[in-house]
């Protein structure tokens, strides 16, 4: 049986949506994480941002982390805007087309309380959260080879298994 293993570090994924006042809209809006990360430097510090967008596509840069720069080469990135996605999403449909039957996800790190259904809904764009909940309840998505509830929390060292039916 063909299977594939991903390794995740769930340390830096912010919530997918945040309710926040949008200056441009002039009202409370729902901002969604675009999964794009940007690093800016002012020479002393590197700032890491998550790019969020409201329903009208206005941008909000959520500050995630500040790193102290410690060497000269970092100054060179000052004008550079680097965009990276911290965690790659799992392309279920294309994996299935390649004949993959089981997808394992090893959790190398988990910081904070992460529900399995929410994490998978963010990282698997091909499946909706309600589809994911059904699969967890059916047992085709398991945690440590056990059937769990959609609200189960993830911990470091655990393994999620997705069985393609
Ligand atoms: Zn807006």
């Amino acid at each position: 049986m063909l299977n594939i293993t991903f390794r995740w570090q769930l340390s830096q994924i912010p919530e997918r949506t945040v309710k926040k006042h949008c200056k441009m809209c002039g009202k409370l809006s729902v901002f969604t994480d675009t999964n794009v990360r940007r690093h800016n430097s002012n020479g002393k510090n590197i700032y890491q941002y998550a790019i969020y967008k409201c329903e009208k596509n206005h941008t909000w840069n959520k500050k995630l982390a500040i790193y102290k720069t410690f060497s000269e080469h970092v100054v060179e990135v000052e004008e550079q805007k680097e965009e990276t996605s911290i965690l790659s999403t799992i392309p279920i449909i294309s994996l299935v087309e390649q004949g993959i039957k089981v997808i394992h996800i090893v959790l190398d790190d988990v910081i904070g309380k992460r529900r399995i259904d929410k994490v998978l809904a963010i990282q698997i764009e091909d499946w909706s959260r309600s589809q994911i909940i059904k699969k967890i309840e059916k047992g085709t998505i398991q945690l440590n080879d056990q059937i769990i509830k959609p609200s189960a929390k993830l911990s470091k060292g655990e393994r999620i298994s997705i069985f393609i039916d």
Side-chain angles (χ1 to χ4, degrees), residues 92-100:
I92 290 276
I93 289 171
S94 88
L95 292 175
V96 171
E97 282 169 359
Q98 291 164 46
I100 299 289

Side-chain angles (χ1 to χ4, degrees), residues 22-27 29 31 54-59:
C22 176
K23 279 182 196 163
M24 300 292 283
C25 292
K27 65 176 180 70
S29 288
F31 282 82
C54 82
E55 295 132 314
K56 295 264 170 69
N57 236 20
H58 303 129
T59 303

Side-chain angles (χ1 to χ4, degrees), residues 44-121:
K44 285 183 183 169
N45 299 303
I46 297 172
Y47 299 88
Q48 185 191 28
Y49 298 94
I51 314 294
Y52 279 71
K53 289 199 166 165
C54 82
E55 295 132 314
K56 295 264 170 69
N57 236 20
H58 303 129
T59 303
W60 168 49
N61 295 336
K62 184 185 182 185
K63 197 182 283 177
L64 294 179
I66 303 171
Y67 306 100
K68 294 266 180 226
T69 58
F70 53 89
S71 62
E72 285 175 16
H73 77 275
V74 181
V75 180
E76 292 169 20
V77 303
E78 193 168 356
E79 295 303 317
Q80 189 184 330
K81 283 176 181 158
E82 190 188 341
E83 296 191 357
T84 50
S85 182
I86 286 172
L87 276 188
S88 53
T89 54
I90 294 191
I92 290 276
I93 289 171
S94 88
L95 292 175
V96 171
E97 282 169 359
Q98 291 164 46
I100 299 289
K101 297 290 182 203
V102 187
I103 298 162
H104 295 298
I105 302 156
V106 175
L107 302 170
D108 283 335
D109 198 7
V110 179
I111 291 177
K113 286 185 178 161
R114 311 276 186 181
R115 284 174 61 129
I116 186 170
D117 59 342
K118 283 191 180 176
V119 168
L120 291 179

